[in-house]
Amino acid sequence: MKTIIEPFKIKSIEPIRFTTVEERTAILEEAHYNPFLIHAENVMIDLLTDSGTSAMSAKQWAGIMEGDESYAGARSFFRFEKVVKKLTGMKYIIPTHQGRAAEKIIFSVVGGKGKFIPNNTHFDTTRANVEFSGAVAVDFPTEEGTRPELIADFKGNMNIPALEQFIQEKGAENIPVCFITITNNSGGGQPVSMRNIRETKEVLKRYGIPLYIDACRFAENAFFIKKREEGYANTPVADIVHEMFSYADGCTMSAKKDAIVNMGGFLAMNDEAIASSARNLLIITEGFPTYGGLAGRDLEAIAQGLDEVLDEHYLTYRLRSVEYLGNKLTESGVPILQPPGGHAIYLDAKRFLPAISPDQYPGQSIVVELFRQGGIRSVEIGSVMFGTYRADGSLQSPPMELVRLAIPRRVYTQSHIDYVIEVVIETFERREAMKGYAITYEAPQLRHFTAQFAPL
Ligand code: F0G
């Protein structure tokens, strides 16, 4: 087979500012060793997130000029609505400024004290919005989904027996909705199978609980189904997407991922009463229902992006470029969460730095070294992000210590990724010399964004 090439050529570029190891050492010190506090112009390769960092196409930029900025009834809204209806098959489409705004609205409508919201794995903003409504967020990953070294096709799946047991324990009347996140971001960007979505729906249907999809990376998930699930090899991705959504009663979407735009999102559903309450909230917090929190031009760019993301040459390149990074690291012995996910590679910091205990933040140590050695910005997903304190002040760590290298869509070429590979391998080779970190300042919530660190 020939090399899989980027299925686009580059029309407009942004220069990268080159820095030296000495300069980056000073930048790190100034940022208190927290990648969120580094100015973006000081980053050479930015793998902090795949959210809102994608490159738009010429057609999307043309859509920006085409945007109809009327307050009510804008043409751009109807184009957007038509595309989203076709994609999801849902009746009511509500634009929001990003994914978490859709989450805030739906959980304000259906959540609240005494309610439970299950999910295969909640993303952190989803969990925060469930909890903000007073409800309890509960994760149901499968056993294989929590084992980083295990290679399996659908590690993002919902643990259906555990979900059903939970419904019986808590009572269906206390579970207003169940979510399924595709791909499972917090679980490593791992896909969910069609069978798992269908069977989750079958169980929920018996109890009268609606199923909503957290659809941020729906196209990547659909392409994994095409490549890995029996019976889908010859099915067009668009049909796979339709089938996935056919099992859902609603969805939340961050367009900053698989709609390949820099800002936007939506909420969609079939239930008229929920849609009506959601629209009332939308008007208070986001805007009139034909623009939500967005400009007409954003709606145009989303509509176009949702079409482009279904292109199978694009999806082949997308999944392959992430897999390429993962495979090269694996070949060199760098421990990663297996198999490579759809949007990111997660370094397994516990195996990368076994001598550094979780309370000395091994993931943060890797994040700092990748920046120092190569100007690469990544993010710790472990004890810094999810650690809590026990009553005696000791750290309660999450099960995994990971470092995420998220790949923006259509932004970096293979030589950028080859450079990333070299820097990660070099860092791995000198891991014996790496030290842990202490937190010197932290905010009471979501501490990773603003925490300050000092090397030990
Ligand atoms: N759900 C999932 C699965 C996500 O990954 C995100 C965002 C959201 C919801 C919220 O969407 O940012 O538009 O409000 N994930 C980004 C990330 C921030 O870096 O993984 P948003």
Side-chain angles (χ1 to χ4, degrees):
M1 201 170 75
K2 294 212 175 65
T3 303
I4 294 167
I5 59 170
E6 286 84 0
F8 49 81
K9 49 190 183 165
I10 296 166
K11 176 176 268 181
S12 179
I13 59 105
E14 271 185 275
I16 290 173
R17 195 173 88 80
F18 284 73
T19 47
T20 61
V21 173
E22 291 70 37
E23 283 169 328
R24 293 193 292 267
T25 299
I27 290 165
L28 279 165
E29 208 172 308
E30 208 173 306
H32 303 282
Y33 303 94
N34 183 340
F36 288 100
L37 304 181
I38 295 174
H39 292 202
E41 65 173 4
N42 289 331
V43 175
M44 289 175 61
I45 307 276
D46 203 345
L47 308 183
L48 187 66
T49 176
D50 65 320
S51 181
T53 51
S54 304
M56 293 208 295
S57 67
K59 278 199 176 159
Q60 285 178 296
W61 283 108
I64 293 285
M65 285 308 294
E66 290 277 342
D68 176 354
E69 304 303 343
S70 306
Y71 189 95
R75 185 189 67 245
S76 301
F77 171 74
F78 294 111
R79 178 179 176 207
F80 160 84
E81 187 190 39
K82 193 170 158 198
V83 169
V84 178
K85 273 189 174 171
K86 188 166 166 227
L87 193 77
T88 63
M90 286 177 200
K91 288 191 193 135
Y92 305 103
I93 314 297
I94 298 173
T96 59
H97 78 273
Q98 61 182 88
R100 68 197 70 180
E103 293 164 0
K104 173 77 170 69
I105 290 173
I106 189 64
F107 296 123
S108 301
V109 174
V110 304
K113 224 172 156 46
K115 302 274 167 54
F116 298 90
I117 312 289
N119 199 323
N120 47 348
T121 312
H122 286 84
F123 180 65
D124 55 7
T125 61
T126 324
R127 171 174 290 278
N129 276 301
V130 167
E131 290 171 354
F132 189 73
S133 82
V136 177
V138 196
D139 290 343
F140 292 99
T142 56
E143 193 269 327
E144 63 179 25
T146 51
R147 284 162 54 196
E149 339 70 56
L150 182 87
I151 297 186
D153 285 341
F154 292 105
K155 287 174 76 178
N157 279 354
M158 174 83 81
N159 184 339
I160 298 175
L163 170 68
E164 182 158 20
Q165 199 186 340
F166 182 80
I167 298 171
Q168 287 171 354
E169 267 169 38
K170 300 293 177 193
E173 66 283 6
N174 298 316
I175 304 174
V177 64
C178 172
F179 265 71
I180 196 159
T181 305
I182 61 170
T183 57
N184 188 334
N185 183 11
S186 309
Q190 300 294 322
V192 177
S193 71
M194 189 71 88
R195 180 172 169 191
N196 189 255
I197 300 174
R198 185 170 57 238
E199 291 180 356
T200 300
K201 173 65 186 178
E202 280 164 12
V203 167
L204 295 173
K205 204 170 169 185
R206 271 193 263 126
Y207 294 93
I209 300 169
L211 173 65
Y212 272 50
I213 292 180
D214 177 338
C216 303
R217 301 179 179 86
F218 72 94
E220 289 165 10
N221 198 84
F223 204 58
F224 274 120
I225 289 175
K226 180 167 177 125
K227 286 176 58 177
R228 295 183 182 172
E229 191 161 349
E230 214 187 310
Y232 290 94
N234 299 316
T235 313
V237 169
D239 293 355
I240 296 176
V241 168
H242 294 150
E243 187 184 339
M244 286 182 340
F245 281 113
S246 74
Y247 302 121
D249 302 280
C251 72
T252 53
M253 172 78 186
S254 168
K256 301 170 75 170
K257 284 85 169 174
D258 269 354
I260 327 186
V261 294
N262 306 119
M263 190 51 71
F266 58 83
L267 173 62
M269 72 279 284
N270 288 324
D271 185 298
E272 193 180 353
I274 294 178
S276 164
S277 305
R279 283 211 180 99
N280 290 336
L281 271 177
L282 185 85
I283 293 175
I284 300 170
T285 59
E286 293 281 292
F288 188 74
T290 60
Y291 71 85
L294 297 170
R297 54 182 170 271
D298 296 323
L299 296 167
E300 287 284 339
I302 293 171
Q304 180 61 32
L306 287 173
D307 187 44
E308 291 175 14
V309 80
L310 297 178
D311 178 79
E312 297 193 13
H313 290 294
Y314 162 74
L315 285 168
T316 301
Y317 138 80
R318 171 70 180 157
L319 296 195
R320 176 61 194 147
S321 57
V322 176
E323 183 187 55
Y324 175 82
L325 169 59
N327 290 354
K328 291 275 178 187
L329 295 179
T330 304
E331 280 164 24
S332 300
V334 179
I336 66 164
L337 193 155
Q338 296 287 1
H343 67 293
I345 290 299
Y346 297 69
L347 305 176
D348 184 346
K350 271 192 188 168
R351 285 186 289 149
F352 197 115
L353 292 175
I356 300 181
S357 60
D359 61 356
Q360 297 186 356
Y361 306 110
Q364 197 66 21
S365 178
I366 298 172
V367 168
V368 168
E369 270 331 285
L370 294 181
F371 184 79
R372 193 197 315 274
Q373 295 310 320
I376 297 167
R377 178 153 68 168
S378 56
V379 66
E380 195 264 11
I381 302 193
S383 287
V384 174
M385 195 178 270
F386 296 126
T388 52
Y389 294 108
R390 298 189 190 93
D392 68 358
S394 62
L395 182 80
Q396 170 79 52
S397 292
M400 292 197 266
E401 301 289 337
L402 303 172
V403 171
R404 186 177 78 170
L405 306 172
I407 314 296
R409 294 168 184 77
R410 307 191 293 206
V411 171
Y412 294 116
T413 63
Q414 185 172 341
S415 51
H416 290 118
I417 298 297
D418 281 331
Y419 171 82
V420 171
I421 291 162
E422 285 164 18
V423 173
V424 176
I425 292 172
E426 234 175 73
T427 305
F428 184 62
E429 280 165 359
R430 46 180 306 285
R431 64 191 178 281
E432 306 277 299
M434 287 165 65
K435 298 272 187 311
Y437 280 77
I439 293 183
T440 54
Y441 162 80
E442 61 185 295
Q445 267 122 31
L446 297 173
R447 65 176 182 171
H448 56 285
F449 289 124
T450 52
Q452 299 181 1
F453 301 84
L456 289 168

